[in-house]
Structures are given as C-alpha cells and as structure tokens.
Amino acid sequence: MTVVTRFAPSPTGFLHIGGARTALFSYLYAKRFGGKFLLRIEDTDRERSTQEAVDAIFEGMKWLGLHSDFDEIYQTQRFDRYKAVIAQMLEDGTAYRCYCSREELDQLRAEQQARKEKPRYDGRWRPEPGKTLPPIPEGVEPVIRFKNPTEGQVVLNDLVKGEIVFDNKELDDLIIARADGTPTYNFCVVVDDWDMGITHVIRGDDHVNNTPRQINILRALGATPPQYAHVAMILGSDGAKLSKRHGALGVMEYRAMGFLPEAMLNYLVRLGWSHGDQELFTRQEMIEKFDFDHVSASPSRFDMEKAYWVNHQYLKTADLDEVAGEFDWHLRQQNLDPANGPDIKDVIVQQRERCRTLLEMAEKSAFFYADLTGYNEKDAKKHLTAEAADVLTALGAELAALSAWEAEAIHTSVNGFAEARALKLAKVAQPIRVACCGMAVSPPIDQTLLLLGRERTLARLRAAVDFVRQAG
Ligand code: GLU
C-alpha cells in the first residue's frame, strides 16, 4: 500500500501556523513511507473562499518547501464528479430527497427544544420498507440526505486519540446536497479522500465529529475508510486559545520576522510531537523519525522564545546558500540593494552568532549596503567626542596608507595605533564603530572594515570627524 496523505485547507485566510503544522505532519508521514502528499483546496464555500487566500496558502507552502506531488486540486472543479456520486447514491438507496421547508425544520427544532431534546432531523422523508412518505410538495427543490445507519456504532481507531466510539443513533441524516444542487462540505471531503486514494487523513481535532459521518458515507459507497489522525490544537503560552497577542499566526509573518523556513518546520514539528529530548532535526531526520505514537493527544503550547532559539540555531549552522537566499530577500524588503556592498555570505558569517533572526541581521547590516542616515544618538554622544575625532583623523591617515585592505593589516593597524597612544582598545574601536556603522555594535572591527571596504571606511571616518567638529 502506498501511503497518500493530504492537506486540505479551506481558503478563507492566510496559512495559519496550525494549518502549517497539520500540513507538515501529513507531508512527513507520506515521505516517511515513500508515499505521496497532496494539497487540496477546499473552496466549496464560495462566499468565504477568496483567491487571495488561495494564493497565500500556495505562497506559505512554497516557502516552507512542502511541495505537493500532484497538480493543484480545487473542489470547485470537481462538482460534476460529486453530482455523479450523489446520483448513484440516490439510485442505490443510500441517499434520498428531503422536501422539508426551512419553516418545517425550524418548527421541528422548536418542538424538540421545548421537549428538551437534542435538535435533529426526524427522518420524515427517509424511505423505509412499508413506510408511506408525505406527498411531494409543488415547487420545492429537495435537499439530498445521506441515509445514515440507525443502529450500531462507528469505531474510530484514531492514530493520535485512540479508540473513539460513536453511536449511529446520535447521527442524523446529513444533507449531502443543498436545494440548489451544490454538494456540502462533508460530502466533498469523502468523495475526494476516496477518489484520491487517501490512506491517512491527518487533520485538526476540530474535525473529530465529522469523522463518523464521513466513515458511514465511505462505507455506503463501498470504500474502505482511511486511517485518521486528529491532531490537538496549538494553544498560546498561557494555555488560552492561540491569538495574535501570543505571537504571529500567519506563516508568512514569520518570514517577515526573520525566520528561516527550515527552522520554522523544526519548531512546528515539535509542537505536539517528540523524539526523546531531541530538539533539532534536519528535514531528513524529521522524515525518518516522525510517527504518530509520539504525537500528543493534548494541546501543545506555542513558545515564542523557543521559536527564536530554534531559528538562531539554524542561522548559526545552516547552509550558507540557504541563508543567503532569505537574507537577500530581507535586505530588499528594507529597500537595500544587496549588490551595493559586500558579498552577503560574508556578512552572514560575521553576523550570525549575534542575530537570532534575519530581520535583526538585515537591520544590523544595513550600514554595509547604504549610506548612513545618522548615528545612534546615545552611541554618538558617548563615543563621538572631540578626543575621538582626533583618534579618527589620525587613524584614518594610517588606514589610508595601508598597502593592502586585509583583515590582518587592519587589525595590526588599529591595535598598534591604540598601543602606541596607550589607549584602551575600546577608545579606538567604539568611535570607529559609531563612525562606520552608525552604532556601537558590530562584528569585530577588522572584519567590519574589511567588508565595508577602504573607500567607505575612510569616507565615514571623515564624515564622523566633521560631525564632531560641527557639533562642537
Ligand atoms: N478544509 C478543512 C479545514 O480547513 C479540513 C478538512 C479535512 O482536513 O478533512 O479545516
């Protein structure tokens, strides 16, 4: 048996991190068994589905590298198929037409509520042997209902939650097509999972109650139901429903915040799944190790600090090409031209120990790619003093005279300069930093100046001296 899993989002908004985790679990499970993973857009609710949301889902999945093994699938392109299945079910007697009007159903509900009963369809149009159905009213388009078994149980052996038993008498006859002929959500899911040969349905546990109905319909169609894994929710760090105040919700917001996609996957895989106390996994390791035995049945909590930690571990160790692709994007987001400065890979190597995100790295590296627009006020006050101006003037002359612009030569020059004047190194290095970077933090001075280049370094030292003189 080839494992086939799917991620089936309804396109009503951005790709939420909860959805991304479901997609990741589905993807990993399929890959683990050499199977296939597909992305299915559940856009039957035409009022709530938007093209922007579809685009946002594709964008998020692409950024995370969760690629579908099939072409794009949209439920709205499969209506003919759903209608054909419904016609077949009417013929087989596993579905029937119901001519109840809205008023009748409202009245039924009111009566049941008055009797303190659970509101449910009473089966008045359900054909049974020997039963006479009401006369068909004129001018009423019927809905189609599934003839759910009235006896017995549905036993769901959920891969995460274990056994859950549902009594058929608790399930009423689900509407599978509306009066206008459009199929309903639960029905489309069933036909799709069947047609697409889905072997494992992995989804949020908000769908548990749909499952017995879906299993019954599959059985009525003569299909073998897939296995199900219902994954518990992601909560905020305080145990409340995850919301904006706990951190960003959309996957692409994490990109803007400076996360690497692989770090995001790594963070997400540990939300609800564990493998001993291992925290960091390559994609390949996730694929090899992911299983449902270690997916928790209870909700997990989102921990922003941990997400940052994971991201930092990736920034420090990830393949430079991979980081460079994202870093380039971040520089451009800040209207910086990556070509107008040092090779971004060299900058990453210098910055990655000190930055937890690519956004931070881009902000702290902007001075390499654009003219300074000013100095950090506090840093300038402290380090760009009259005394510092003399240091920068003299040191500038020495640096200008270096025969080669190399790290070691710069290092020797700066250190030698401080020693010769019996100055603490910081008295030299900090004014240089503020002059060249606009702030008092940067990678080591020799590396910073090397990457900045001779022309820019000397021009910035001169500009800082002018700044001090003008201020004084
Ligand atoms: N379209 C459903 C949702 O976005 C998922 C349905 C499923 O996975 O079966 O919640």
Side-chain angles (χ1 to χ4, degrees), residues 76 89 125 158 218 319 328 336 355 373 399-400 417 459:
T76 43
M89 289 174 77
W125 286 93
D158 194 88
L218 283 163
D319 182 63
D328 182 278
L336 297 167
C355 300
T373 49
L399 290 173
F417 181 92

Side-chain angles (χ1 to χ4, degrees), residues 340-355:
N340 183 36
D343 185 330
I344 59 174
K345 288 188 198 167
D346 295 335
V347 172
I348 295 166
V349 169
Q350 290 306 322
Q351 295 281 38
R352 60 182 174 182
E353 282 295 327
R354 71 194 70 239
C355 300

Side-chain angles (χ1 to χ4, degrees), residues 410-431:
I410 298 168
H411 180 86
T412 312
S413 172
V414 173
N415 284 47
F417 181 92
E419 242 169 71
R421 283 165 181 73
L423 290 169
K424 278 202 188 120
L425 188 59
K427 282 278 177 206
V428 182
Q430 294 306 74

Side-chain angles (χ1 to χ4, degrees), residues 31 165 224 265 428:
K31 299 296 154 185
V165 180
T224 310
L265 292 180
V428 182

Side-chain angles (χ1 to χ4, degrees), residues 45-149:
D45 185 344
R46 286 175 168 171
E47 281 178 12
R48 293 182 62 222
S49 304
T50 64
Q51 188 56 45
E52 292 79 69
V54 172
D55 295 343
I57 289 164
F58 282 124
E59 189 189 22
M61 295 291 283
K62 185 172 168 212
W63 183 66
L64 290 171
L66 299 178
H67 304 296
S68 170
D69 294 307
F70 299 88
D71 289 342
E72 298 165 14
I73 302 166
Y74 296 88
Q75 285 187 326
T76 43
Q77 292 175 1
R78 291 178 39 80
F79 273 36
D80 289 348
R81 170 65 181 151
Y82 305 137
K83 284 183 182 165
V85 178
I86 288 170
Q88 188 61 49
M89 289 174 77
L90 285 170
E91 212 176 298
D92 295 345
T94 52
Y96 62 92
R97 294 182 178 83
C98 166
Y99 293 86
C100 275
S101 64
R102 172 112 313 275
E103 292 72 36
E104 278 177 282
L105 289 173
D106 286 347
Q107 194 190 344
L108 175 65
R109 172 168 311 126
E111 286 166 9
Q112 287 168 333
Q113 277 168 345
R115 290 197 299 269
K116 302 227 177 319
E117 287 170 18
K118 194 169 140 198
R120 55 181 299 146
Y121 178 63
D122 63 358
R124 65 182 69 172
W125 286 93
R126 178 180 168 115
E128 303 285 4
K131 171 177 169 186
T132 316
L133 295 176
I136 293 177
E138 248 179 72
V140 178
E141 285 302 329
V143 301
I144 314 291
R145 288 186 186 268
F146 170 61
K147 206 172 172 193
N148 197 78

Side-chain angles (χ1 to χ4, degrees), residues 6-11 22 40 42 75 185 189 193 201-204 206-207 210 214:
R6 86 300 196 276
F7 175 50
S10 303
T22 303
R40 180 169 85 213
E42 302 209 317
Q75 285 187 326
Y185 164 72
V189 170
D193 286 341
V201 167
I202 299 157
R203 61 185 173 198
D206 47 332
H207 288 282
N210 289 329
Q214 294 182 2

